Amino acid sequence: MHSTVVIHRAPWLFSMAGPALADGAVAVHDNRIVGTGRFSDLQGRIPGAVIVDHPDCVLMPGLVNAHIHLELSHLAHLAQQRKSQSFVDWLTTMLAERERLGAVGQAVEKAARTVLQGQFDAGVIALADIGNTPLARTLTEQFPGILFPFLEYLGLGRRSLVPALKKLARQEDGIACTAHAPYSTHPELIRALKKRSDNLGNMFPIHVAEPASETSLLSNDGGELADFLRRRGFYENIFQGAGIDITGSVRYLHSLGVLDAKTICVHGVHVSRDEIRLLQQAGAKVCLCPGSNRFLQVGRAPVTEYLAQGILPALGTDSAASNPELSIWREMRCVAEDHPTAPPMTILRMATIGGAQALALEAGYGTLETGKSASLLAVSIPGSMKKQQDVAEHLVHRGYESRKAWITNGSGEQ
Ligand SMILES: [Zn+2]
């Protein structure tokens, strides 16, 4: 308990709630923000506060990694090798490696813990994890930030549908469940999972339009995913039905009735302008994974079109098996490199408030504003930077190599 208000002062305040401020400050009391603004104003408003200087730093909110698979962390060697030939090549290799090395066990857990700690050390305050095993659920309590574990369901065939629905009906309410992807999950299972999510008030993340071949599979036009499923004996043309639109992944999910403000469409690479409008109208969230998309060579998400239609996407690293660097800082750099017209400040907002909105955490996180959590980050910058634009560009392009410190309480840094 700190009875005194502490004012943290830095050359720059990037609150993400408004323009950046030079000589900015954040006043903190009992782990809550009680004021933000220019240092001189805040000092005048709160006499007697303890002042802590953070020279050559930017104060900003913690980042959000809106999509990760911690249980695949032991497969990091897959993303350190050459780039995959195709999405299906990677999928085949990943499944074989997971079979060979095991999906559970000490090595799997150790790798996941290391990755999770690395996320926090790099300034990530909240993550959404997708897994087929209980691993992430066992990690939530020790994690100093917020970790949302989602148990993923998949299964395409008609025969697997009834057992999957029965399993879902028996699932404890405390376990958030979600569907893997349109290409891997029976439409009735997707609907049942979404309905259960809504009943429990959970978010509903789902991989959408990651490889181009998802659309050709849905519309029964073949493609490498259809071939892959055929080879594994899972192929069934179960996507067509009355009132079901199979001309695009987003249209398909919309016609299944599962797109709303609690749905997080992860990847969203192969989506048309009309589909982005559907997402916007539904208030659905979008999480982009540019680093993983680059490694798997599935294409680039239409970032400028999302922004033009009023969607601020979140960012996610995806797993260590498909991304050589699990860093939201690097995801920001990938967006900037792939979409040079995207403003750096907008890219920083994707990694903070965009992620917080996707995970329904914006009441406490994502920006530095009065009443929100005082989990703030001090990120070092070269002392010579005098312009907001230079600082924003530096954070986006070079933030991965900056020193980061959490200011979680009172006057100290940890
Ligand atoms: Zn994923």
Side-chain angles (χ1 to χ4, degrees):
M1 188 81 171
H2 292 260
S3 53
T4 314
V5 174
V6 178
I7 295 180
H8 294 277
R9 176 188 192 183
W12 287 97
L13 168 65
F14 275 54
S15 72
M16 304 300 164
L21 293 178
D23 197 13
V26 180
V28 172
H29 185 245
D30 285 344
N31 293 321
R32 289 276 139 198
I33 295 172
V34 293
T36 67
R38 289 199 192 278
F39 172 69
S40 52
D41 296 344
L42 217 50
Q43 192 188 26
R45 263 169 33 211
I46 313 173
V50 172
I51 292 154
V52 178
D53 269 309
H54 301 273
D56 299 339
C57 277
V58 174
L59 295 180
M60 61 181 287
L63 310 183
V64 176
N65 186 348
H67 186 71
I68 192 167
H69 305 259
L70 288 167
E71 67 182 17
L72 301 182
S73 300
H74 65 306
L75 305 179
H77 55 283
L78 295 179
Q80 303 301 327
Q81 298 163 358
R82 60 166 177 75
K83 283 186 179 165
S84 294
Q85 295 296 308
S86 74
F87 182 74
V88 158
D89 278 350
W90 172 81
L91 203 55
T92 309
T93 310
M94 190 273 285
L95 292 171
E97 273 300 90
R98 205 176 179 207
E99 180 89 29
R100 187 175 75 83
L101 295 170
V104 291
Q106 272 185 356
V108 178
E109 195 181 316
K110 185 165 176 253
R113 277 184 199 283
T114 305
V115 164
L116 187 58
Q117 185 61 47
Q119 294 291 301
F120 186 71
D121 294 345
V124 171
I125 191 69
L127 306 94
D129 178 87
I130 311 290
N132 318 118
T133 71
L135 176 57
R137 291 202 298 283
T138 67
L139 302 176
T140 52
E141 284 201 0
Q142 306 116 9
F143 185 60
I146 299 163
L147 172 61
F148 289 118
F150 290 90
L151 182 64
E152 176 181 82
Y153 274 61
L154 71 171
L156 208 49
R158 289 183 184 87
R159 258 183 304 162
S160 65
L161 178 62
V162 173
L165 293 173
K166 280 187 180 161
K167 184 179 159 203
L168 186 62
R170 289 194 304 267
Q171 198 81 65
E172 284 172 46
D173 283 356
I175 297 175
C177 298
T178 193
H180 174 244
Y183 74 78
S184 64
T185 316
H186 194 286
E188 287 312 313
L189 185 52
I190 294 179
R191 277 178 162 149
L193 283 155
K194 173 60 178 160
K195 192 169 174 224
R196 179 182 182 275
S197 275
D198 287 346
N199 290 342
L200 294 172
N202 295 334
M203 301 304 291
F204 185 70
I206 177 169
H207 298 83
V208 181
E210 181 180 5
S213 49
E214 182 171 277
T215 314
S216 39
L217 172 74
L218 294 178
S219 56
N220 203 23
D221 280 345
E224 68 159 7
L225 264 179
D227 294 343
F228 167 79
L229 293 166
R230 223 173 250 125
R231 277 199 304 276
R232 296 174 79 91
F234 295 139
Y235 183 79
E236 283 181 58
N237 181 17
I238 38 81
F239 305 107
Q240 285 171 5
I244 303 300
D245 189 336
I246 51 171
T247 59
S249 301
V250 171
R251 286 197 198 95
Y252 173 72
L253 292 178
H254 182 249
S255 62
L256 290 182
V258 299
L259 283 189
D260 61 32
K262 285 191 166 282
T263 307
I264 310 170
C265 294
V266 181
H267 291 292
V269 176
H270 299 280
V271 294
S272 66
R273 193 171 287 191
D274 289 349
E275 288 184 302
I276 293 177
R277 193 167 307 129
L278 276 179
L279 290 167
Q280 198 274 334
Q281 286 164 356
K285 309 300 191 293
V286 173
C287 173
L288 307 180
C289 304
S292 171
N293 296 160
R294 194 183 273 193
F295 177 76
L296 295 178
Q297 301 184 68
V298 293
R300 294 174 186 174
V303 169
T304 44
E305 192 58 43
Y306 281 122
L307 296 173
Q309 296 209 36
I311 292 177
L312 180 72
L315 296 178
T317 56
D318 217 348
S319 82
S322 68
N323 192 344
E325 220 177 312
L326 288 199
S327 162
I328 289 296
W329 296 98
R330 190 216 174 215
E331 298 303 318
M332 286 194 261
R333 186 165 48 117
C334 288
V335 173
E337 287 169 356
D338 292 349
H339 310 276
T341 60
M345 205 60 178
T346 305
I347 299 174
L348 286 162
R349 282 173 52 78
M350 290 181 192
T352 51
I353 185 64
Q357 286 167 345
L359 304 188
L361 289 172
E362 68 270 30
Y365 298 87
T367 60
L368 300 181
E369 290 180 88
T370 298
K372 289 199 181 188
S373 158
S375 302
L376 45 142
L377 206 53
V379 183
S380 68
I381 51 164
S384 54
M385 289 196 164
K386 302 290 176 237
K387 285 192 201 149
Q388 174 195 315
Q389 180 71 7
D390 293 346
V391 178
E393 272 178 22
H394 179 83
L395 290 174
V396 166
H397 287 275
R398 309 300 295 265
Y400 65 96
E401 58 190 17
S402 299
R403 190 178 57 83
K404 290 115 195 158
W406 284 109
I407 305 164
T408 52
N409 205 350
S411 58
E413 289 185 7
Q414 81 170 35

mmCIF file of all heavy atoms in Angstrom, residues 86-88 91 181 183 207-216 224-225 249 267 269-270 293 296-299:
data_model
loop_
_atom_site.group_PDB
_atom_site.id
_atom_site.type_symbol
_atom_site.label_atom_id
_atom_site.label_comp_id
_atom_site.label_asym_id
_atom_site.label_seq_id
_atom_site.Cartn_x
_atom_site.Cartn_y
_atom_site.Cartn_z
ATOM 1 N N SER A 86 5.319 -24.035 -48.366
ATOM 2 C CA SER A 86 3.913 -23.665 -48.457
ATOM 3 C C SER A 86 3.302 -23.860 -47.073
ATOM 4 O O SER A 86 3.904 -24.485 -46.193
ATOM 5 C CB SER A 86 3.178 -24.554 -49.463
ATOM 6 O OG SER A 86 2.999 -25.845 -48.899
ATOM 7 N N PHE A 87 2.097 -23.355 -46.906
ATOM 8 C CA PHE A 87 1.393 -23.489 -45.632
ATOM 9 C C PHE A 87 1.225 -24.961 -45.265
ATOM 10 O O PHE A 87 1.482 -25.371 -44.132
ATOM 11 C CB PHE A 87 0.024 -22.800 -45.757
ATOM 12 C CG PHE A 87 -0.774 -22.839 -44.496
ATOM 13 C CD1 PHE A 87 -0.437 -22.034 -43.421
ATOM 14 C CD2 PHE A 87 -1.875 -23.677 -44.379
ATOM 15 C CE1 PHE A 87 -1.172 -22.065 -42.241
ATOM 16 C CE2 PHE A 87 -2.619 -23.713 -43.206
ATOM 17 C CZ PHE A 87 -2.268 -22.910 -42.145
ATOM 18 N N VAL A 88 0.835 -25.760 -46.254
ATOM 19 C CA VAL A 88 0.597 -27.179 -45.997
ATOM 20 C C VAL A 88 1.904 -27.919 -45.677
ATOM 21 O O VAL A 88 1.926 -28.789 -44.817
ATOM 22 C CB VAL A 88 -0.168 -27.811 -47.181
ATOM 23 C CG1 VAL A 88 0.022 -29.313 -47.221
ATOM 24 C CG2 VAL A 88 -1.658 -27.466 -47.081
ATOM 25 N N LEU A 91 2.494 -27.162 -42.111
ATOM 26 C CA LEU A 91 1.526 -27.860 -41.269
ATOM 27 C C LEU A 91 1.921 -29.339 -41.121
ATOM 28 O O LEU A 91 1.911 -29.900 -40.024
ATOM 29 C CB LEU A 91 0.145 -27.745 -41.927
ATOM 30 C CG LEU A 91 -1.097 -27.895 -41.081
ATOM 31 C CD1 LEU A 91 -1.083 -26.933 -39.911
ATOM 32 C CD2 LEU A 91 -2.343 -27.641 -41.948
ATOM 33 N N ALA A 181 -10.321 -23.309 -37.008
ATOM 34 C CA ALA A 181 -10.392 -22.550 -38.272
ATOM 35 C C ALA A 181 -11.529 -23.104 -39.122
ATOM 36 O O ALA A 181 -11.925 -24.259 -38.954
ATOM 37 C CB ALA A 181 -9.074 -22.679 -39.032
ATOM 38 N N TYR A 183 -11.281 -24.110 -42.071
ATOM 39 C CA TYR A 183 -10.807 -25.241 -42.882
ATOM 40 C C TYR A 183 -10.670 -26.544 -42.093
ATOM 41 O O TYR A 183 -10.496 -27.613 -42.681
ATOM 42 C CB TYR A 183 -9.488 -24.897 -43.597
ATOM 43 C CG TYR A 183 -8.239 -24.860 -42.747
ATOM 44 C CD1 TYR A 183 -7.597 -26.028 -42.352
ATOM 45 C CD2 TYR A 183 -7.657 -23.652 -42.377
ATOM 46 C CE1 TYR A 183 -6.437 -25.998 -41.594
ATOM 47 C CE2 TYR A 183 -6.495 -23.603 -41.621
ATOM 48 C CZ TYR A 183 -5.889 -24.780 -41.232
ATOM 49 O OH TYR A 183 -4.743 -24.747 -40.486
ATOM 50 N N HIS A 207 -8.897 -18.798 -36.186
ATOM 51 C CA HIS A 207 -8.038 -18.514 -37.341
ATOM 52 C C HIS A 207 -8.942 -18.336 -38.562
ATOM 53 O O HIS A 207 -9.783 -19.202 -38.819
ATOM 54 C CB HIS A 207 -7.083 -19.676 -37.615
ATOM 55 C CG HIS A 207 -6.122 -19.976 -36.495
ATOM 56 N ND1 HIS A 207 -6.452 -20.743 -35.409
ATOM 57 C CD2 HIS A 207 -4.830 -19.598 -36.319
ATOM 58 C CE1 HIS A 207 -5.398 -20.835 -34.600
ATOM 59 N NE2 HIS A 207 -4.399 -20.148 -35.124
ATOM 60 N N VAL A 208 -8.743 -17.252 -39.283
ATOM 61 C CA VAL A 208 -9.602 -16.967 -40.444
ATOM 62 C C VAL A 208 -8.752 -16.490 -41.614
ATOM 63 O O VAL A 208 -7.951 -15.563 -41.460
ATOM 64 C CB VAL A 208 -10.632 -15.850 -40.111
ATOM 65 C CG1 VAL A 208 -11.526 -15.571 -41.317
ATOM 66 C CG2 VAL A 208 -11.479 -16.229 -38.905
ATOM 67 N N ALA A 209 -8.953 -17.125 -42.773
ATOM 68 C CA ALA A 209 -8.330 -16.655 -44.022
ATOM 69 C C ALA A 209 -6.823 -16.483 -43.879
ATOM 70 O O ALA A 209 -6.255 -15.486 -44.298
ATOM 71 C CB ALA A 209 -8.980 -15.346 -44.483
ATOM 72 N N GLU A 210 -6.175 -17.501 -43.310
ATOM 73 C CA GLU A 210 -4.710 -17.444 -43.190
ATOM 74 C C GLU A 210 -4.072 -17.834 -44.531
ATOM 75 O O GLU A 210 -3.425 -16.997 -45.142
ATOM 76 C CB GLU A 210 -4.236 -18.330 -42.030
ATOM 77 C CG GLU A 210 -2.722 -18.297 -41.839
ATOM 78 C CD GLU A 210 -2.248 -19.182 -40.692
ATOM 79 O OE1 GLU A 210 -3.085 -19.900 -40.091
ATOM 80 O OE2 GLU A 210 -1.039 -19.182 -40.400
ATOM 81 N N PRO A 211 -4.301 -19.066 -45.030
ATOM 82 C CA PRO A 211 -3.807 -19.347 -46.382
ATOM 83 C C PRO A 211 -4.906 -19.090 -47.409
ATOM 84 O O PRO A 211 -6.103 -19.236 -47.103
ATOM 85 C CB PRO A 211 -3.491 -20.848 -46.317
ATOM 86 C CG PRO A 211 -4.458 -21.399 -45.319
ATOM 87 C CD PRO A 211 -4.846 -20.278 -44.378
ATOM 88 N N ALA A 212 -4.509 -18.747 -48.622
ATOM 89 C CA ALA A 212 -5.488 -18.506 -49.698
ATOM 90 C C ALA A 212 -6.291 -19.776 -49.972
ATOM 91 O O ALA A 212 -7.454 -19.716 -50.393
ATOM 92 C CB ALA A 212 -4.760 -18.057 -50.959
ATOM 93 N N SER A 213 -5.662 -20.920 -49.703
ATOM 94 C CA SER A 213 -6.321 -22.189 -50.028
ATOM 95 C C SER A 213 -7.535 -22.473 -49.147
ATOM 96 O O SER A 213 -8.301 -23.398 -49.436
ATOM 97 C CB SER A 213 -5.321 -23.346 -49.930
ATOM 98 O OG SER A 213 -4.612 -23.290 -48.718
ATOM 99 N N GLU A 214 -7.741 -21.684 -48.070
ATOM 100 C CA GLU A 214 -8.944 -21.892 -47.256
ATOM 101 C C GLU A 214 -10.201 -21.570 -48.084
ATOM 102 O O GLU A 214 -11.192 -22.297 -48.021
ATOM 103 C CB GLU A 214 -8.917 -21.029 -45.997
ATOM 104 C CG GLU A 214 -10.128 -21.254 -45.105
ATOM 105 C CD GLU A 214 -9.997 -20.563 -43.745
ATOM 106 O OE1 GLU A 214 -9.356 -21.147 -42.858
ATOM 107 O OE2 GLU A 214 -10.516 -19.434 -43.577
ATOM 108 N N THR A 215 -10.137 -20.497 -48.861
ATOM 109 C CA THR A 215 -11.304 -20.110 -49.670
ATOM 110 C C THR A 215 -11.614 -21.170 -50.718
ATOM 111 O O THR A 215 -12.778 -21.528 -50.933
ATOM 112 C CB THR A 215 -11.050 -18.755 -50.379
ATOM 113 O OG1 THR A 215 -10.491 -17.861 -49.434
ATOM 114 C CG2 THR A 215 -12.331 -18.173 -50.941
ATOM 115 N N SER A 216 -10.560 -21.686 -51.373
ATOM 116 C CA SER A 216 -10.828 -22.694 -52.406
ATOM 117 C C SER A 216 -11.368 -23.984 -51.794
ATOM 118 O O SER A 216 -12.196 -24.673 -52.405
ATOM 119 C CB SER A 216 -9.595 -22.958 -53.274
ATOM 120 O OG SER A 216 -8.434 -22.969 -52.513
ATOM 121 N N GLU A 224 -4.464 -26.719 -52.172
ATOM 122 C CA GLU A 224 -3.545 -27.550 -51.387
ATOM 123 C C GLU A 224 -4.129 -27.995 -50.046
ATOM 124 O O GLU A 224 -3.777 -29.062 -49.554
ATOM 125 C CB GLU A 224 -2.179 -26.872 -51.205
ATOM 126 C CG GLU A 224 -2.186 -25.654 -50.333
ATOM 127 C CD GLU A 224 -0.796 -25.331 -49.784
ATOM 128 O OE1 GLU A 224 0.181 -25.972 -50.176
ATOM 129 O OE2 GLU A 224 -0.731 -24.424 -48.927
ATOM 130 N N LEU A 225 -5.026 -27.203 -49.452
ATOM 131 C CA LEU A 225 -5.622 -27.649 -48.191
ATOM 132 C C LEU A 225 -6.568 -28.827 -48.422
ATOM 133 O O LEU A 225 -6.595 -29.780 -47.642
ATOM 134 C CB LEU A 225 -6.400 -26.511 -47.523
ATOM 135 C CG LEU A 225 -5.676 -25.712 -46.452
ATOM 136 C CD1 LEU A 225 -6.586 -24.612 -45.917
ATOM 137 C CD2 LEU A 225 -5.191 -26.587 -45.302
ATOM 138 N N SER A 249 -13.863 -16.662 -46.487
ATOM 139 C CA SER A 249 -13.875 -17.163 -45.098
ATOM 140 C C SER A 249 -14.730 -16.286 -44.194
ATOM 141 O O SER A 249 -15.454 -16.790 -43.333
ATOM 142 C CB SER A 249 -12.452 -17.199 -44.543
ATOM 143 O OG SER A 249 -11.646 -18.016 -45.337
ATOM 144 N N HIS A 267 -5.426 -13.610 -38.150
ATOM 145 C CA HIS A 267 -4.719 -13.581 -39.437
ATOM 146 C C HIS A 267 -5.452 -12.654 -40.417
ATOM 147 O O HIS A 267 -4.893 -11.646 -40.802
ATOM 148 C CB HIS A 267 -4.512 -14.980 -40.045
ATOM 149 C CG HIS A 267 -3.552 -15.812 -39.270
ATOM 150 N ND1 HIS A 267 -2.209 -15.526 -39.207
ATOM 151 C CD2 HIS A 267 -3.732 -16.904 -38.487
ATOM 152 C CE1 HIS A 267 -1.598 -16.404 -38.427
ATOM 153 N NE2 HIS A 267 -2.502 -17.254 -37.968
ATOM 154 N N VAL A 269 -5.869 -12.592 -43.588
ATOM 155 C CA VAL A 269 -4.993 -12.204 -44.712
ATOM 156 C C VAL A 269 -5.794 -12.095 -46.006
ATOM 157 O O VAL A 269 -5.747 -11.072 -46.691
ATOM 158 C CB VAL A 269 -3.838 -13.226 -44.877
ATOM 159 C CG1 VAL A 269 -2.987 -12.884 -46.098
ATOM 160 C CG2 VAL A 269 -2.976 -13.277 -43.620
ATOM 161 N N HIS A 270 -6.540 -13.162 -46.321
ATOM 162 C CA HIS A 270 -7.240 -13.202 -47.619
ATOM 163 C C HIS A 270 -8.695 -12.805 -47.439
ATOM 164 O O HIS A 270 -9.600 -13.643 -47.420
ATOM 165 C CB HIS A 270 -7.079 -14.589 -48.250
ATOM 166 C CG HIS A 270 -5.640 -14.909 -48.491
ATOM 167 N ND1 HIS A 270 -4.954 -14.415 -49.566
ATOM 168 C CD2 HIS A 270 -4.743 -15.576 -47.722
ATOM 169 C CE1 HIS A 270 -3.687 -14.790 -49.482
ATOM 170 N NE2 HIS A 270 -3.542 -15.500 -48.372
ATOM 171 N N ASN A 293 2.913 -14.768 -40.889
ATOM 172 C CA ASN A 293 2.498 -14.751 -42.305
ATOM 173 C C ASN A 293 3.712 -14.663 -43.228
ATOM 174 O O ASN A 293 3.761 -15.286 -44.279
ATOM 175 C CB ASN A 293 1.588 -13.541 -42.591
ATOM 176 C CG ASN A 293 0.261 -13.580 -41.844
ATOM 177 O OD1 ASN A 293 -0.386 -12.558 -41.673
ATOM 178 N ND2 ASN A 293 -0.143 -14.747 -41.379
ATOM 179 N N LEU A 296 5.529 -18.118 -43.199
ATOM 180 C CA LEU A 296 4.766 -19.146 -43.920
ATOM 181 C C LEU A 296 4.430 -18.735 -45.356
ATOM 182 O O LEU A 296 3.848 -19.523 -46.105
ATOM 183 C CB LEU A 296 3.474 -19.477 -43.165
ATOM 184 C CG LEU A 296 3.658 -20.128 -41.791
ATOM 185 C CD1 LEU A 296 2.313 -20.355 -41.109
ATOM 186 C CD2 LEU A 296 4.402 -21.447 -41.900
ATOM 187 N N GLN A 297 4.773 -17.500 -45.692
ATOM 188 C CA GLN A 297 4.543 -16.989 -47.054
ATOM 189 C C GLN A 297 3.092 -17.144 -47.497
ATOM 190 O O GLN A 297 2.824 -17.588 -48.616
ATOM 191 C CB GLN A 297 5.497 -17.663 -48.032
ATOM 192 C CG GLN A 297 6.969 -17.424 -47.675
ATOM 193 C CD GLN A 297 7.919 -18.003 -48.693
ATOM 194 O OE1 GLN A 297 7.987 -17.530 -49.823
ATOM 195 N NE2 GLN A 297 8.644 -19.023 -48.308
ATOM 196 N N VAL A 298 2.178 -16.781 -46.589
ATOM 197 C CA VAL A 298 0.756 -16.884 -46.952
ATOM 198 C C VAL A 298 0.204 -15.573 -47.502
ATOM 199 O O VAL A 298 -0.963 -15.494 -47.882
ATOM 200 C CB VAL A 298 -0.120 -17.331 -45.739
ATOM 201 C CG1 VAL A 298 0.194 -18.749 -45.332
ATOM 202 C CG2 VAL A 298 0.029 -16.373 -44.565
ATOM 203 N N GLY A 299 1.034 -14.529 -47.532
ATOM 204 C CA GLY A 299 0.577 -13.236 -48.039
ATOM 205 C C GLY A 299 0.561 -12.190 -46.933
ATOM 206 O O GLY A 299 0.900 -12.474 -45.783
#
